[in-house]
């Protein structure tokens, strides 16, 4: 999995100026921009904020689909954090319980899960391991 979410950018409704950003995979996400370029720029921050909110609420983060729109690539680290979160929620654990299983301070799992924190993959691997999973990495040639 890769964290590539499609966002839809449309003129603001009701004659308002600017552009509205939405995401079919995350229906509660909205953002905007005065220009098309600003709306595209704001979309990434809106995606990260929405994903962070779901993680903090101990909710499953919907995975990206093949919805039409502008693709925003959040990268492999964010994808790993989303998968870790979803496996944790499916296991019925909150972040404090995951920290306990990791044998560290509560902040350990909070940092590993936060899409706003630049974690090391070793932290993600360790957290996945305590849930009974492991990650694999693959490389492929990018389309031109």
């Amino acid at each position: 999995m890769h964290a590539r979410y499609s966002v839809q950018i449309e003129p603001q409704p009701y004659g308002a100026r600017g552009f509205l950003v939405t995401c079919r995979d995350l229906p509660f996400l909205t953002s905007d921009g005065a220009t098309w370029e600003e709306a595209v720029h704001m979309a990434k921050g809106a995606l990260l904020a929405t994903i962070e909110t779901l993680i903090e609420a101990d909710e499953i983060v919907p995975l990206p689909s093949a919805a039409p729109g502008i693709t925003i690539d959040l990268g492999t680290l964010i994808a790993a954090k989303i998968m870790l979160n979803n496996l944790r929620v499916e296991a019925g654990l909150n972040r404090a319980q995951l920290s306990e299983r990791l044998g560290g301070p509560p902040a350990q799992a909070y940092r590993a899960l936060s899409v706003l924190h630049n974690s090391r993959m070793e932290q993600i691997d360790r957290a996945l391991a305590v849930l009974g999973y492991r990650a694999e990495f693959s490389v492929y040639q990018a389309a031109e």
Side-chain angles (χ1 to χ4, degrees), residues 2 6 8 22 37-38 52 77 91 96 103 116 118 128 140 144:
H2 209 277
S6 292
Q8 294 69 48
T22 58
E37 293 78 15
E38 183 180 336
E52 184 74 9
L77 179 60
L116 305 177
N118 195 16
L128 286 168
Y140 55 91
E144 305 221 3

Side-chain angles (χ1 to χ4, degrees), residues 23-30 62:
C23 179
R24 291 192 178 135
D25 296 323
L26 303 167
F28 31 85
L29 177 149
T30 59

Side-chain angles (χ1 to χ4, degrees), residues 53-142:
T53 299
L54 288 167
I55 290 170
E56 288 177 357
D58 295 325
E59 297 287 335
I60 294 285
V61 175
L63 301 179
S65 68
I70 305 295
T71 301
I72 308 294
D73 188 345
L74 300 177
T76 54
L77 179 60
I78 301 301
K81 288 175 178 257
I82 290 169
M83 293 305 298
L84 172 59
N85 174 72
N86 290 355
L87 292 168
R88 170 191 66 89
V89 172
E90 288 172 3
L93 298 175
N94 61 35
R95 290 173 294 164
Q97 291 167 320
L98 179 59
S99 287
E100 187 176 298
R101 286 193 181 185
L102 288 167
Q108 185 174 7
Y110 288 75
R111 285 190 305 268
L113 288 161
S114 174
V115 297
L116 305 177
H117 186 271
N118 195 16
S119 305
R120 294 187 339 248
M121 278 307 296
E122 294 85 22
Q123 295 170 313
I124 306 297
D125 287 339
R126 189 160 172 258
L128 286 168
V130 302
L131 294 174
Y133 292 88
R134 68 181 181 144
E136 291 188 7
F137 182 74
S138 62
V139 177
Y140 55 91
Q141 188 166 3

Side-chain angles (χ1 to χ4, degrees), residues 10-21 31-36 38-39:
E10 302 169 349
Q12 288 279 9
Y14 311 114
R17 298 174 104 176
F19 294 87
L20 176 67
V21 179
S31 186
D32 64 0
T35 65
W36 175 270
E38 183 180 336

